Amino acid sequence: MNISAVAITGLSLAVLAAGCGKEERALAQERPEQAAPAMDPRAVDPPLVATEMAVPGDLPAFVVTGRGGACPRMVFLHGMCGHGLGYVQAFQGAAREHGGVLGLQGDVPCGGDGVFSKYSPDPEAQDRRIRNALAACGGEAEDLVVIGYSQGAYIAERLAERWPERYARLVLLGAPTTPSAARLRNIRGAVMISGELDAKYRMKEGAGGLMAAKIPAVYREMPGARHGEMPDAERVMDEALDWLDALDALDALDANAPPRP
């Protein structure tokens, strides 16, 4: 696994509205967090830090490894014209405890410098990029948690619709459209999160629609957060991922239970 440290400070952006569709115009400001110090590769359990990982034929990904340096079991997709490093750093402790996270950069640049990006809307292209990125660190794209913020939530929903066995559990934050129970009918569970100061109705309605369709779901709020912000992310994301882990435990108990007479 070829990982080198990255430090990016004070990133900020305004979403590009001109020429975008209705869903993209719904996206708002995003502010990645400050970078963390470099990793010591000699450690058995690497220091808790998000680092840059080379991906052949693609942009680098940002990685927080699982315990013992394991390849991540979660994928994070940032918002339109955003940058994934700060978001991954915002909950890197929770990410480590729950198997690690890989932040995939968007594949469409938003400016000439290439710092900020968005995702092309083709789910097959994004699935291929995720599989390649995980292969670069020796992992497999199976039974993943996919976490999406804003445009990333929109992409995550389409990935789970197309490959529910691969993207079986979701954490969706600040989606530009209300998540659909019809699209997510085959997933194992989803956490819907809205910033306290964001347009909360979409994520509340999304969670309610899933629950009405008997799909395990729950709604949570990020206190004091506007669209694109993640204050108190360690606590909120840890609780969200704990909730998904509890679903897995219940599924395992049901699978191992003796048949009823």
Side-chain angles (χ1 to χ4, degrees):
M1 184 172 177
N2 182 16
I3 297 179
S4 60
V6 168
I8 297 181
T9 305
L11 297 175
S12 63
L13 60 96
V15 172
L16 305 181
C20 297
K22 178 180 178 182
E23 290 165 347
E24 290 184 334
R25 287 198 300 270
L27 308 180
Q29 191 176 29
E30 299 174 352
R31 295 185 181 90
E33 301 295 325
Q34 184 176 348
M39 173 188 294
D40 179 359
R42 298 170 296 178
V44 174
D45 200 6
L48 186 54
V49 60
T51 59
E52 184 181 273
M53 181 188 74
V55 179
D58 204 345
L59 296 168
F62 304 113
V63 172
V64 174
T65 59
R67 288 293 181 187
C71 189
R73 299 296 302 162
M74 299 186 290
V75 174
F76 184 91
L77 306 175
H78 61 73
M80 188 178 75
C81 296
H83 193 286
L85 177 59
Y87 290 107
V88 167
Q89 290 171 333
F91 68 101
Q92 59 191 20
R96 168 68 56 83
E97 291 300 318
H98 293 274
V101 64
L102 181 147
L104 187 76
Q105 295 195 65
D107 53 341
V108 179
C110 287
D113 58 8
V115 174
F116 301 112
S117 61
K118 60 184 177 180
Y119 299 96
S120 58
D122 180 6
E124 290 193 1
Q126 301 309 330
D127 173 67
R128 182 170 58 253
R129 297 181 67 226
I130 289 169
R131 288 187 285 110
N132 290 343
L134 289 171
C137 69
E140 295 183 1
E142 297 299 334
D143 193 22
L144 299 172
V145 175
V146 57
I147 305 167
Y149 205 135
S150 200
Q151 191 203 20
Y154 180 89
I155 298 295
E157 185 178 347
R158 274 99 189 133
L159 290 170
E161 177 185 22
R162 178 66 178 81
W163 298 279
E165 71 290 346
R166 180 172 298 150
Y167 306 101
R169 292 158 291 164
L170 280 72
V171 180
L172 304 181
L173 301 96
T177 56
T178 300
S180 164
R183 287 195 181 94
L184 300 178
R185 62 188 179 277
N186 293 319
I187 66 167
R188 285 158 56 188
V191 181
M192 307 290 176
I193 300 177
S194 178
E196 181 185 8
L197 306 178
D198 200 355
K200 297 185 284 189
Y201 69 93
R202 293 190 190 99
M203 308 315 290
K204 285 183 176 180
E205 290 177 357
L210 265 65
M211 288 186 283
K214 309 301 182 185
I215 303 166
V218 67
Y219 172 77
R220 294 286 184 264
E221 282 187 13
M222 192 79 69
R226 296 176 175 82
H227 189 83
E229 298 176 343
M230 291 185 70
D232 204 15
E234 287 284 13
R235 180 187 63 82
V236 175
M237 293 299 291
D238 188 51
E239 290 176 356
L241 296 170
D242 279 344
W243 188 86
L244 290 175
D245 286 348
L247 281 183
D248 283 349
L250 288 174
D251 289 344
L253 286 174
D254 290 343
N256 294 324
R260 294 182 180 180

